[in-house]
Amino acid sequence: VSDYEEFADSSVHGYDSKCINNEDKGGIFHEVETYEEQREYFFSRHNVDEDKWFDLLGMNTAAEEWQIESALKLRFLPFHIFDSCSSAVNIPGNQMCPTSLLDIAQLQNYYNQRVLAEAYESYASGAVDEIHFPNAFYLDGLDVDGSVRTGTMTLEGRSRPGALKEYNQTRYAAVDTIIAYNVEKVCKSSLKMSDQASCQNLQTYLEGRISRYPAQRWQEPALGRRDDWPM
């Protein structure tokens, strides 16, 4: 109540938090399950509670205790003992120990982009009649032009030894994809824009923006990036 009064000045435009359906579908350290849960959310989800009409979807991954301990060991111990850390990432062939939140965010974004792109493209192409996007997202690793970072170089410019340089700074157009979905939904609904040309112009514009940072997958398993996994 104090937050509502002090930060929102008791605005009549505020929403009751009881109306929020907050779901966590992030978890790069359990990506097989995460991928299945995310696909189910976008392609198969139905409203489970009519009273909770504002959907909030978390696609980020929090640091786990073993990851924090490994980061401390790397910083303060004079030798490396990271086999347990890299194996805990649970991606076949991975040899990376993600020692920062940036590492975790960009690795999660790499796999998140696949689901977001699949969902939007399936809907825009007419392959499916309906998908479900939430009202708001939790996303990490945001960058220029509404993109999210998916490459192996973290924001402070730290490149990992042996990394493929062409994928150091890859990004995915997450925000433009979300906007494009909403435009598609309006253009396909009874609430059409005043003329179809307006829809087509806006859709073409957004597709052009997405093409600047398209979903990209590549084979670099040592740094957790695979193009043949989880499915």
Side-chain angles (χ1 to χ4, degrees):
V1 175
S2 62
D3 285 350
Y4 172 59
E5 293 176 350
E6 294 173 12
F7 291 106
D9 194 26
S10 302
S11 171
V12 295
H13 301 293
Y15 293 143
D16 190 331
S17 61
K18 291 187 292 185
C19 298
I20 298 174
N21 178 53
N22 192 351
E23 296 193 41
D24 179 14
K25 302 295 183 184
I28 190 58
F29 305 128
H30 312 282
E31 181 57 29
V32 172
E33 293 84 359
T34 297
Y35 176 70
E36 292 175 350
E37 290 176 1
Q38 288 178 347
R39 277 191 55 84
E40 182 179 5
Y41 182 94
F42 285 107
F43 286 93
S44 305
R45 186 182 181 280
H46 300 285
N47 191 6
V48 294
D49 188 341
E50 292 183 358
D51 293 329
K52 294 186 176 183
W53 53 267
F54 189 95
D55 282 339
L56 183 56
L57 176 63
M59 297 184 74
N60 54 329
T61 297
E64 297 192 9
E65 185 175 337
W66 59 265
Q67 184 265 338
I68 298 170
E69 290 178 354
S70 297
L72 289 171
K73 291 173 182 176
L74 177 63
R75 175 66 177 83
F76 294 108
L77 294 182
F79 50 87
H80 294 271
I81 47 174
F82 294 113
D83 287 346
S84 60
C85 173
S86 58
S87 62
V89 176
N90 203 28
I91 296 174
N94 177 68
Q95 299 174 24
M96 175 185 68
C97 179
T99 55
S100 72
L101 286 173
L102 289 172
D103 286 320
I104 297 173
Q106 291 177 210
L107 189 58
Q108 178 71 77
N109 287 340
Y110 175 82
Y111 289 98
N112 283 346
Q113 67 174 338
R114 177 183 178 185
V115 181
L116 283 169
E118 283 180 353
Y120 166 67
E121 290 167 9
S122 295
Y123 183 61
S125 67
V128 297
D129 293 330
E130 188 63 70
I131 58 170
H132 176 80
F133 268 47
N135 298 97
F137 288 84
Y138 288 118
L139 294 171
D140 286 335
L142 295 174
D143 204 344
V144 64
D145 293 325
S147 63
V148 292
R149 299 175 69 90
T150 60
T152 54
M153 178 184 284
T154 51
L155 192 60
E156 76 276 16
R158 175 167 51 87
S159 182
R160 292 184 176 274
L164 299 173
K165 291 184 179 180
E166 61 266 37
Y167 299 115
N168 266 345
Q169 300 186 57
T170 56
R171 302 176 177 90
Y172 172 61
V175 173
D176 286 318
T177 300
I178 294 166
I179 295 172
Y181 160 75
N182 282 280
V183 170
E184 286 285 342
K185 192 170 183 66
V186 171
C187 290
K188 291 180 177 181
S189 73
S190 58
L191 302 173
K192 291 185 182 294
M193 297 182 186
S194 57
D195 61 88
Q196 196 60 30
S198 298
C199 276
Q200 292 174 351
N201 290 339
L202 190 50
Q203 289 164 330
T204 299
Y205 171 73
L206 288 166
E207 288 291 348
R209 286 184 58 89
I210 292 171
S211 69
R212 297 180 305 167
Y213 308 109
Q216 295 184 70
R217 302 175 69 215
W218 64 92
Q219 197 71 356
E220 196 171 13
L223 297 181
R225 274 76 173 172
R226 301 191 66 108
D227 60 8
D228 58 355
W229 185 88
M231 295 179 185

